[in-house]
Amino acid sequence: MDKLLIIADDFTGALDTGIQFTKMGIRARIITDYQYDFSQLRPRDGVLSVSTDSRPRSPMEAYDRVYQLAKNARSAGFSYVYKKTDSGLRGNIGMELKAVMEAYGEQTIAFIPAFPRLNRITREGVQYIDGVPVRESVFGKDPFEPVCDSDIENIIRSQTDLKVIKVFNGDFEAIRLDLGEPVVLLFDAETEEDLSAIARWLKTQNQIRVIAGCAGFAAHYEELLNFEKGDPHFMQKTKGLLALCGSVNPITVRQIQYAKEHGFGRKHLNHRQKMGMTDNTPKEDKEFFDELFHEISEKGKYILDTLDLPGEESAETFAARNGLSLSDIR
């Protein structure tokens, strides 16, 4: 059976990529330690999805984390690696592609950043989110890593010296391999059929050792490698569900509002609570958490979030007023 390492730059990415495999009945193990000791591997760990937590790091620190993880995995017998990237193109994408290529000694990496099922597509090398270029979407307004360009080649080239070759609309015949320099093959894709066609072409060209993309293309690894399979995993009904939400993405705001309208309880932490700066006495803190626990237990479905509410002082203003940096708030 084949072994695949998935490298994501955050915990969410490791999860949403790993779940693509469990839905196919392929066991995927999620790891949050980029310095993972591969001697602890179990024989059944054929798919390992690891978060390097490198999205907010400097480009060089991101490179080092990804390179070291990939190098260790290669030594441990992982012949294939999938560099999971954000479908909104946030983070150190260029540097992390380069790190994986150099750790595995590959001159070419296929990059497929589209996720058609979420209406995130790549057309003529430009990333679109819900029909608009990514720079004009919510990802262009991200308070921590705003995406400043919609052309994917420009993003990669702003971080590295990697050559980028755009593959338009399934024009595989125009692709030249073995150009004698490190190359990123950037594929357009707008449908699941496009992703499947790319997977088939990569397999015929034996270009599946190192691939990059978001969770969308990961669902097509069933066409590329041989994994030990069991029954597909499905969501299980439980008596209760607690969601702890630290995201500030407008998409998340809409999801929370939807959940509240459909029976979820909700409590919001203010800035002082989020930062551990409350002036409460230990007794008052205990009363707060006792009440919170009671609400969660009674409701069964509950969300605890850290969003900025309408009319509330923004996190940035609060930080400036209290001598905190944006990274402190994060």
Side-chain angles (χ1 to χ4, degrees):
M1 293 292 113
D2 293 319
K3 284 186 175 292
L4 173 69
L5 171 71
I6 301 165
I7 303 178
D9 65 0
D10 70 354
F11 184 44
T12 303
L15 287 171
D16 69 4
T17 310
I19 201 171
Q20 305 303 321
F21 292 85
T22 64
K23 288 190 292 187
M24 294 183 281
I26 301 165
R27 182 183 296 276
R29 188 176 177 194
I30 312 298
I31 301 293
T32 57
D33 181 9
Y34 72 96
Q35 296 177 311
Y36 177 71
D37 180 2
F38 282 87
S39 67
Q40 299 179 22
L41 274 175
R42 300 169 299 194
R44 62 186 183 182
D45 290 336
V47 177
L48 204 63
S49 187
V50 185
S51 168
T52 55
D53 190 30
S54 51
R55 185 178 299 176
R57 312 294 169 180
S58 69
M60 279 310 304
E61 187 176 0
Y63 175 94
D64 291 341
R65 288 189 177 204
V66 171
Y67 179 86
Q68 198 57 53
L69 171 62
K71 184 178 178 181
N72 291 343
R74 183 182 179 188
S75 298
F78 281 78
S79 300
Y80 304 94
V81 60
Y82 186 65
K83 177 64 200 75
K84 192 275 180 189
T85 60
D86 177 43
S87 59
L89 302 181
R90 294 169 296 180
N92 297 290
I93 291 177
M95 288 296 280
E96 296 192 4
L97 294 181
K98 184 175 183 177
V100 168
M101 293 174 70
E102 293 183 351
Y104 270 74
E106 292 291 309
Q107 287 287 88
T108 304
I109 185 169
F111 184 27
I112 312 100
F115 200 160
R117 289 180 184 172
L118 293 187
N119 204 18
R120 300 174 184 182
I121 67 169
T122 310
R123 180 185 297 148
E124 296 184 355
V126 173
Q127 193 79 344
Y128 290 86
I129 308 293
D130 293 328
V132 300
V134 64
R135 181 181 177 181
E136 301 170 24
S137 74
V138 295
F139 297 101
K141 303 176 181 67
D142 188 290
F144 300 110
E145 289 100 19
V147 179
C148 300
D149 203 315
S150 300
D151 188 297
I152 301 168
E153 179 179 6
N154 289 345
I155 293 175
I156 295 173
R157 295 286 295 173
S158 71
Q159 300 175 13
T160 73
D161 56 356
L162 291 172
K163 181 181 180 63
V164 178
I165 296 178
K166 297 178 180 179
V167 183
F168 296 138
N169 196 28
D171 187 14
F172 304 134
E173 297 298 324
I175 301 174
R176 291 179 56 205
L177 300 174
D178 301 323
L179 295 178
E181 61 180 320
V183 171
V184 177
L185 297 179
L186 173 60
F187 288 85
D188 280 357
E190 301 188 30
T191 67
E192 289 299 316
E193 289 73 23
D194 291 341
L195 297 182
S196 187
I198 293 168
R200 290 193 299 271
W201 184 85
L202 290 174
K203 190 166 186 177
T204 62
Q205 300 299 311
N206 196 28
Q207 290 291 321
I208 61 175
R209 184 170 157 86
V210 177
I211 301 176
C214 67
F217 187 78
H220 292 265
Y221 258 92
E222 193 175 27
E223 305 172 50
L224 298 177
L225 300 178
N226 296 314
F227 299 104
E228 182 179 345
K229 285 191 175 184
D231 294 329
H233 291 255
F234 298 98
M235 289 184 290
Q236 300 177 14
K237 290 186 177 181
T238 64
K239 292 182 179 180
L241 174 65
L242 173 63
L244 305 175
C245 177
S247 174
V248 296
N249 192 301
I251 296 172
T252 304
V253 176
R254 295 197 297 269
Q255 291 171 335
I256 290 177
Q257 186 59 35
Y258 179 90
K260 185 178 179 181
E261 292 169 357
H262 289 76
F264 273 73
R266 177 188 180 186
K267 185 175 286 292
H268 164 74
L269 297 183
N270 62 38
H271 296 316
R272 298 191 71 82
Q273 289 170 325
K274 285 184 278 189
M275 297 302 296
M277 297 169 60
T278 63
D279 296 322
N280 293 342
T281 65
K283 180 181 178 182
E284 289 171 327
D285 278 336
K286 183 177 186 303
E287 288 173 351
F288 171 81
F289 283 106
D290 284 346
E291 180 184 350
L292 176 60
F293 179 75
H294 176 74
E295 289 182 18
I296 292 171
S297 302
E298 286 290 310
K299 197 69 177 177
K301 299 182 294 184
Y302 205 87
I303 297 172
L304 184 64
D305 73 78
T306 61
L307 296 168
D308 290 355
L309 296 183
E312 185 181 49
E313 180 183 37
S314 72
E316 290 84 353
T317 301
F318 176 83
R321 188 165 57 80
N322 287 275
L324 302 169
S325 68
L326 198 59
S327 61
D328 291 331
I329 292 290
R330 188 177 200 179

